[in-house]
Amino acid sequence: MENKYIIGIDLGGTKINGALANFNGDIIAKYTLPTKAEDGEEAVLEGIISVGEMVLGESKVNKDDVLAIGIGCPGILNVKEGKIITAPNLPFRNFNVVKSLKDKFNIPVYLDNDANVAAIGEYVFGAGKGINNMVFITVSTGIGGGAVLNGRIYRGNTCNAMEIGHMTLEKDGPRCNCGNYGCAEALASGTAIGKAANEAIKKEEKTSLAHYEKVTSFEVFKEAEKGDELAQKVLNKALNYLGICVANVITSFDPEVVIIGGGVSKGGQIVFDKINEVVKDRCFESMWKSTSIVPAALGTDAGVIGAIALAIMERKDTI
Amino acid sequence: MENKYIIGIDLGGTKINGALANFNGDIIAKYTLPTKAEDGEEAVLEGIISVGEMVLGESKVNKDDVLAIGIGCPGILNVKEGKIITAPNLPFRNFNVVKSLKDKFNIPVYLDNDANVAAIGEYVFGAGKGINNMVFITVSTGIGGGAVLNGRIYRGNTCNAMEIGHMTLEKDGPRCNCGNYGCAEALASGTAIGKAANEAIKKEEKTSLAHYEKVTSFEVFKEAEKGDELAQKVLNKALNYLGICVANVITSFDPEVVIIGGGVSKGGQIVFDKINEVVKDRCFESMWKSTSIVPAALGTDAGVIGAIALAIMERKDTI
């Protein structure tokens, strides 16, 4: 497969990122267009097609050597049928993006949601390379997840598996955007950390966080590192819940590796130290000893690399 | 496969149950011996072999038509190697029961823990027949689980997946036998219900539970049904946690069916009503609408039928 290629598309609310890579994940060409969601379904579809054509053209690769297209997208999808049912910040409603791209490029096209695509990217090219039971957790504005189990992406019955951000960790906890109370996402996401800090600032007089005009999780991490007690308290509480979330995932899935990605994972060693501490306290010894908790390995190109990995993995499954 | 047969062994701390059945799960012969764990490894192994030979003899089936043996057992196992590492109330330590039975009967032998065997039994013959993504939860003295995902039993990296009884649901909750605090098992198992009731009796004056010499979950269910307020309060609290446990499983696994077995599931409609209420409150609508929560279908023979199902499923996987 050295001279064969895959196109990966990362479809987001603001940008459409595309890349063409070989089966080792080496990117040959990249291209980005604004999504222009406000222009409607057909316009965004044209954007996707343009990005595909541009990476193909720039790479100077023979069209016949491009074997498949992978596409990752947020929202509720029907992966089997290739449809975007509904997606935040995108105009698509029950839109068969797979069929449209197949008709245009005449090669197999594979669609999946952004969390699954990120998990597959880590499995094929990143921190979970070749690990047959691995869970990927992304912690940023929300908390999402994807899992490779028995060497295959696990989607569940309605393609909504691994919504671990909406696991209840505190039965009377804060309200979550989903309507439930005490979800992991409402206790431990970047958004939750920012919210908890802002509420705490109002009550506490002495904190360096009070000097900022706007406090998000970024400022909380920064001031906690400098030694601010309130920031440390807020962070410690949230990371304890994140640790419980990871511990529950380990107890349920018994994975070889848990990969943590997203903005909060960039908070550094403090994040991983706290998660490991909680997991050690709460999981069976045989399980925490056999599970590694590691940061995501794929960087800024994770979206397109993941989409390329999706196509590689799905092609293999159907051959 | 109409004239082909499987032997199933359900190895417990007090009894060794055996059965011979055809591929439809119709039991042709059954036999039971006391385990006599106190007599040591070799004696118990002899008991297992005797049970196998007895069902074979009583069934009058030709030995060559028996294709495999399945064996279910509690404890920590190495399923791949066929070893019982350690098991409560059994003398085996790092004992290769699969090899011993293979040497004796000269047919393939398959081992798995009791929760996985129960899950496979429901998948092949019971409430999860042919359902490719299903979770089995047993709620009795403890809480355990097993899952069939993408049509295969899911064991995880160290064969300890689905230890969902040890999912943390209350970070400062009661201490669990495993050493952790606030596990589902410490909040919602039969043992936990009995314990909570006994503690509540000490504090409360008016309750019909005070008339019993010994209060277990059985008496709590009985008096709650008759209208005793304290019993209802204790039960409601425990079933709320059980509901959260099931909700977290649905949010993580997105299964088509959740099957509830074990003593507590025999508590009747009140158990399923409460679980459904909590799941509806806490899970995404698309997920609770697409997941059925049902009682286990296999009755008293669940252990041997599950062991037979294990052998049928594993044979198929290796052919």
Side-chain angles (χ1 to χ4, degrees), chain A residues 76 133-134 148-150 152-172 178-183 237 240-241 244 247-257 281-284 286-287 290-291, chain B residues 76 133-134 148-150 152-172 178-183 237 240-241 244 247-257 281-284 286-287 290-291:
Chain A
I76 296 171
N133 293 305
M134 54 146 271
V148 172
L149 307 181
N150 290 334
R152 288 177 61 194
I153 187 79
Y154 179 68
R155 296 194 176 95
N157 181 40
T158 68
C159 287
N160 283 304
M162 303 307 295
E163 278 289 358
I164 49 173
H166 300 287
M167 193 187 267
T168 302
L169 300 184
E170 193 68 77
K171 70 181 197 313
D172 304 313
C178 74
N180 182 26
Y181 293 85
C183 290
K237 196 175 167 190
N240 186 38
Y241 282 115
I244 293 175
N248 286 354
V249 163
I250 292 174
T251 297
S252 303
F253 290 93
D254 184 17
E256 193 175 336
V257 170
D281 272 356
R282 296 194 178 269
C283 291
F284 288 1
S286 66
M287 282 167 98
S290 63
T291 308
Chain B
I76 296 171
N133 293 307
M134 55 147 270
V148 173
L149 307 180
N150 290 334
R152 289 178 61 195
I153 186 77
Y154 179 68
R155 296 194 177 95
N157 180 40
T158 68
C159 286
N160 284 304
M162 303 306 294
E163 278 289 357
I164 50 173
H166 301 285
M167 195 188 264
T168 302
L169 299 183
E170 193 68 79
K171 70 180 196 312
D172 304 313
C178 74
N180 183 25
Y181 293 85
C183 290
K237 195 175 167 190
N240 187 37
Y241 283 115
I244 293 175
N248 286 355
V249 163
I250 292 175
T251 297
S252 303
F253 289 92
D254 184 18
E256 193 174 337
V257 170
D281 272 357
R282 296 195 178 269
C283 290
F284 289 180
S286 66
M287 282 167 100
S290 63
T291 308

Side-chain angles (χ1 to χ4, degrees), chain B residues 42-107:
Chain B
E42 285 304 323
V44 178
L45 177 64
E46 268 177 41
I48 299 170
I49 290 170
S50 297
V51 166
E53 283 171 339
M54 285 303 292
V55 293
L56 192 58
E58 288 201 3
S59 69
K60 298 193 176 81
V61 154
N62 185 334
K63 207 185 158 184
D64 293 341
D65 291 332
V66 180
L67 301 189
I69 296 173
I71 175 162
C73 163
I76 296 171
L77 315 175
N78 184 327
V79 169
K80 274 177 212 152
E81 293 181 12
K83 280 185 188 169
I84 302 174
I85 307 298
T86 169
N89 308 318
L90 285 172
F92 299 118
R93 295 292 173 273
N94 290 310
F95 189 90
N96 200 319
V97 68
V98 165
K99 190 181 174 304
S100 303
L101 294 180
K102 249 187 199 162
D103 288 349
K104 183 75 196 172
F105 290 92
N106 213 16
I107 49 176

Side-chain angles (χ1 to χ4, degrees), chain B residues 9-13 71-77 79 84 86-90 110-122 136-138 140-147 153 155 159-163 262 298 301-307 310:
Chain B
I9 308 273
D10 175 20
L11 175 59
I71 175 162
C73 163
I76 296 171
L77 315 175
V79 169
I84 302 174
T86 169
N89 308 318
L90 285 172
Y110 304 99
L111 169 76
D112 214 328
N113 72 53
D114 46 358
N116 281 353
V117 162
I120 296 172
E122 294 291 335
F136 171 80
I137 303 176
T138 173
S140 54
T141 51
I143 296 182
I153 186 77
R155 296 194 177 95
C159 286
N160 284 304
M162 303 306 294
E163 278 289 357
L298 302 181
D301 290 326
V304 285
I305 287 288
L310 166 71

Side-chain angles (χ1 to χ4, degrees), chain A residues 218-233:
Chain A
F218 178 79
E219 288 77 28
V220 180
F221 271 106
K222 200 165 124 184
E223 293 305 321
E225 206 184 348
K226 284 195 215 158
D228 183 76
E229 277 182 29
L230 184 77
Q232 285 173 343
K233 212 169 94 185

